[in-house]
Amino acid sequence: MCYGRCARCIGHSLVWLATLCIVANILLYFPNGETKYASDNHLSRFVWFFSGILGGGLLMFLPAFIFIGLDQEDCCGCCGHENCGKRCAMLSSILAALIGIGGSGYCVTVAALALEEGPRCMDASGQWNYTFANTEGDYLLDSSTWSQCVEPKHIVEWNVSLFSILLALGGIEFILCLIQVINGMLGGICGHCSSRQQQYDC
């Protein structure tokens, strides 16, 4: 197995996942395509935590591009031994993977808390509050209660859909970075590729 090639595949996947996280987070600011709720501070407080933009997005590009470049990276060699340098590069990728784990973990945590608390919306009495904050997330299983949010229209569906997407994307990023930790350890211990022939192929 070529560990560098595996890391490159993980890196490309993270780039796409991070981009989707950023898009999902940005959409949370515009319920029904309107900007007034953001300017009037009528959005869920967890939207302002930038979990998809920072945690699952921008922070994820760092490990992603490091993983993509591992196939060519050799840490400038190691006392003239290229394979030793590649082992060094694979081991150093573990630090980048840990950064990714931190970013994706943040994205997952914020998304989960946002889903549990529910959106900030105007109820039938005209008050803006967190209507489902005391339901401990039970509202997610009872869509008949979602009509308690009068404005913005369909805000519950909007929040549940986008935060669920962030939760799923962040979870996949977390798993991929965890795989790279294991891949980096194996690549550092066993060598960049598992055989001399593969070393040239990689």
Side-chain angles (χ1 to χ4, degrees):
M1 175 183 180
C2 183
Y3 303 106
R5 189 172 299 167
C6 177
R8 184 175 61 185
C9 180
I10 292 174
H12 284 298
S13 298
L14 288 177
V15 169
W16 285 107
L17 290 168
T19 303
L20 291 174
C21 278
I22 293 174
V23 171
N25 198 154
I26 290 175
L27 288 174
L28 282 167
Y29 292 100
F30 309 107
N32 303 320
E34 299 181 61
T35 61
K36 64 178 181 178
Y37 301 110
S39 59
D40 294 340
N41 197 27
H42 289 323
L43 298 176
S44 167
R45 61 194 178 102
F46 288 108
V47 173
W48 303 103
F49 283 31
F50 305 109
S51 60
I53 295 176
L54 296 180
L58 297 178
L59 195 60
M60 204 58 57
F61 285 127
L62 173 62
F65 290 129
I66 289 177
F67 300 160
I68 291 172
L70 278 178
D71 240 0
Q72 290 77 37
E73 180 62 58
D74 67 351
C75 279
C76 300
C78 181
C79 300
H81 301 288
E82 181 182 359
N83 193 47
C84 177
K86 289 186 178 298
R87 290 188 180 193
C88 168
M90 290 302 295
L91 288 173
S92 66
S93 74
I94 297 175
L95 295 177
L98 292 176
I99 294 175
I101 287 175
S104 59
Y106 175 71
C107 181
V108 167
T109 301
V110 173
L113 291 173
L115 286 171
E116 181 184 19
E117 185 176 63
R120 176 179 170 84
C121 63
M122 185 174 71
D123 58 24
S125 64
Q127 299 295 318
W128 287 89
N129 53 46
Y130 292 94
T131 305
F132 306 106
N134 297 322
T135 65
E136 298 181 349
D138 291 340
Y139 78 97
L140 293 169
L141 304 176
D142 187 5
S143 59
S144 64
T145 62
W146 295 359
S147 58
Q148 295 178 28
C149 279
V150 178
E151 190 180 349
K153 291 183 178 180
H154 307 297
I155 185 60
V156 181
E157 293 91 333
W158 187 263
N159 267 35
V160 169
S161 298
L162 292 174
F163 276 120
S164 294
I165 289 173
L166 286 174
L167 183 67
L169 293 176
I172 296 173
E173 289 175 339
F174 186 92
I175 293 172
L176 288 177
C177 288
L178 191 60
I179 291 174
Q180 179 53 31
V181 170
I182 300 172
N183 183 53
M185 291 178 64
L186 292 175
I189 296 172
C190 302
H192 193 243
C193 296
S194 59
S195 70
R196 186 176 297 274
Q197 180 62 39
Q198 283 179 309
Q199 181 176 336
Y200 293 107
D201 295 338
C202 293

